[in-house]
């Protein structure tokens, strides 16, 4: 099994690092001692993010990169090698969204979303593999609960995340068959309290809000960085993501009906839509959390227990012992 380095010894590349999960991942990696290369299309946000990281004693650089362009992704890798000499973990996180009925969405917008969400992962993976194979490393692709279960009003986004899962699973098998020393992980977040709803291309008269529960972006970053150090196949962020995926497999028609009943209204916010989006060009503010997540952001105890099962077992044992003492007849 491939042995992965501790974060303090790693060089980590993160795409989509100008806000949200990508920025939270870069910040946490740098705080743990990793040297980090941040990539996105929003130069001002990247520059601010790197200033924040270096101001806290971390080591980071940024590279303008549109992941839909293979040449940009190659330049990103070359810059990381020129500056730090190697790449130990590569995180394909860049993504965009479209909200609205599939029949109303312009085909050019659909293709642009796939250029970022799917082809960005393909470009990042194929560019990263030769570098990771030199000394072993982790390739971490950020999918979604929508990789397993489609969301109404986010059909094209869901289709792109299904494609990311298929590509990631196939690439993993091909690398394992030839004994490449690369661990391939797919991260599947549920609703995460990032600025993404305000960044989505919106075909409706309501601002997008994510259906609750809303989980902390820092928990997604924690899972990504855990995968950079420990071999993981898949990691769900939030128990709702795990539940949605499982129900989608064992009771798909039931979940169809529940989604039809609940998810249309649950994704419509009370305010008009944000007038701009990041579908064709970068729009980010170097912010990890969104200003209007639609619900209270909370940590994912499920994800933390998944990543640290021994701690979760000890806690549950302690709770059981305490309960037995409280309930024991006097």
């Amino acid at each position: 099994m491939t042995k992965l380095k501790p974060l303090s010894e790693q060089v980590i590349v993160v795409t989509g690092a100008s806000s949200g999960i990508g920025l939270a991942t870069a910040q946490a990696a740098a705080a743990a001692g990793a040297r980090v290369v941040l990539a996105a299309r929003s130069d001002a946000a990247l520059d601010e993010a790197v200033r924040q990281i270096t101001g806290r004693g971390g080591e980071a650089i940024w590279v303008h990169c549109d992941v839909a362009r293979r040449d940009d992704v190659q330049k990103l890798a070359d810059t990381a090698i020129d500056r730090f000499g190697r790449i130990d973990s590569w995180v394909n996180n860049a993504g965009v969204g479209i909200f609205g009925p599939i029949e109303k969405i312009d085909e050019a917008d659909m293709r642009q979303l796939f250029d970022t969400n799917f082809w960005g992962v393909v470009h990042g993976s194929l560019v990263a593999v030769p570098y990771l194979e030199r000394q072993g490393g982790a390739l971490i692709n950020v999918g979604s609960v929508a990789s397993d279960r489609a969301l109404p009003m986010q059909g094209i986004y869901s289709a792109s995340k299904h494609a990311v899962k298929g590509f990631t699973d196939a690439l993993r098998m091909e690398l394992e068959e030839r004994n490449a020393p690369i661990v391939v992980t797919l991260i599947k977040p549920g609703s995460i309290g990032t600025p993404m709803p305000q960044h989505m291309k919106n075909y409706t008269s309501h601002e997008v809000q994510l259906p609750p529960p809303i989980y902390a972006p820092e928990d997604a970053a924690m899972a990504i960085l855990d995968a950079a150090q420990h071999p993981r196949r898949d990691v769900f962020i939030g128990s709702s993501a795990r539940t949605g995926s499982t129900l989608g497999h064992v009771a798909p028609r039931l979940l169809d009906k529940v989604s039809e009943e609940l998810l249309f209204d649950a994704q419509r916010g009370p305010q008009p839509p944000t007038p701009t989006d990041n579908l064709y060009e970068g729009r980010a503010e170097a912010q990890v959390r969104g200003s209007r997540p639609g619900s209270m952001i909370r940590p994912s105890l499920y994800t933390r227990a998944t990543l640290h099962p021994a701690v979760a077992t000890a806690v549950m044992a302690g709770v059981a012992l305490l309960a037995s003492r409280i309930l024991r007849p006097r």
Side-chain angles (χ1 to χ4, degrees):
M1 180 176 290
T2 301
K3 185 175 182 181
L4 302 174
K5 299 175 182 177
L7 291 178
S8 60
E9 299 176 11
Q10 288 204 30
V11 175
I12 301 179
V13 175
V14 184
T15 69
S18 57
S19 67
I21 292 173
L23 177 56
T25 300
Q27 290 175 340
R35 290 169 287 177
V36 187
V37 183
L38 292 79
R41 297 172 298 175
S42 303
D43 292 2
L46 286 171
D47 189 62
E48 173 62 22
V50 168
R51 285 200 308 106
Q52 292 175 5
I53 289 172
T54 56
R56 299 176 186 134
E59 189 171 1
I61 61 171
W62 65 268
V63 179
H64 178 94
C65 178
D66 182 347
V67 295
R69 302 174 181 272
R70 175 73 177 256
D71 289 347
D72 275 18
V73 179
Q74 185 61 60
K75 182 184 73 172
L76 170 60
D78 291 342
T79 302
I81 295 297
D82 289 345
R83 177 63 181 270
F84 297 121
R86 66 178 192 277
I87 299 169
D88 300 293
S89 292
W90 184 291
V91 182
N92 286 312
N93 167 74
V96 296
I98 297 175
F99 185 76
I102 292 173
E103 294 171 289
K104 292 186 177 181
I105 297 172
D106 186 82
E107 183 178 329
D109 287 351
M110 296 183 186
R111 292 182 179 275
Q112 177 65 24
L113 182 143
F114 259 80
D115 280 347
T116 300
N117 290 11
F118 175 68
W119 284 106
V121 170
V122 173
H123 294 158
S125 299
L126 298 183
V127 165
V129 161
Y131 298 100
L132 296 173
E133 197 166 9
R134 293 177 183 177
Q135 74 283 321
L139 175 65
I140 303 164
N141 292 339
V142 178
S144 168
V145 63
S147 296
D148 294 339
R149 176 66 198 180
L151 302 171
M153 303 297 285
Q154 295 192 55
I156 302 305
Y157 175 83
S158 299
S160 73
K161 293 300 185 177
H162 271 62
V164 165
K165 180 181 185 300
F167 171 81
T168 301
D169 289 350
L171 179 62
R172 181 189 298 109
M173 290 185 284
E174 292 177 9
L175 292 174
E176 288 179 350
E177 189 276 334
R178 63 181 174 87
N179 294 317
I182 302 173
V183 177
V184 180
T185 302
L186 182 64
I187 305 293
K188 299 179 184 179
S191 295
I192 307 295
T194 71
M196 184 179 179
Q198 288 78 54
H199 292 170
M200 295 174 73
K201 178 70 177 285
N202 194 336
Y203 277 77
T204 77
S205 58
H206 295 271
E207 185 172 77
V208 184
Q209 67 179 19
L210 299 176
I214 310 294
Y215 298 104
E218 293 83 359
D219 279 10
M222 175 182 63
I224 289 170
L225 296 179
D226 177 85
Q229 301 172 88
H230 307 101
R232 310 281 188 194
R233 187 182 189 278
D234 303 274
V235 182
F236 288 94
I237 313 302
S239 57
S240 63
R242 170 77 269 187
T243 301
S245 175
T246 301
L247 286 177
H249 283 95
V250 302
R253 287 300 291 150
L254 172 62
L255 194 53
D256 285 350
K257 295 302 181 183
V258 172
S259 299
E260 291 162 15
E261 184 69 25
L262 299 178
L263 286 185
F264 286 86
D265 287 341
Q267 296 181 95
R268 295 189 182 109
Q271 301 186 18
T274 304
T276 57
D277 60 75
N278 70 350
L279 185 60
Y280 288 92
E281 60 184 25
R283 176 184 176 268
E285 308 82 11
Q287 294 179 352
V288 169
R289 298 191 176 201
S291 58
R292 295 186 297 275
S295 181
M296 183 178 69
I297 297 174
R298 69 185 198 186
S300 171
L301 300 180
Y302 166 83
T303 300
R304 297 183 183 203
T306 300
L307 300 179
H308 306 288
V311 174
T313 300
V315 170
M316 291 304 295
V319 170
L321 178 61
L322 178 61
S324 68
R325 289 184 177 180
I326 293 173
L327 298 175
R328 183 174 58 193
R330 295 185 181 277

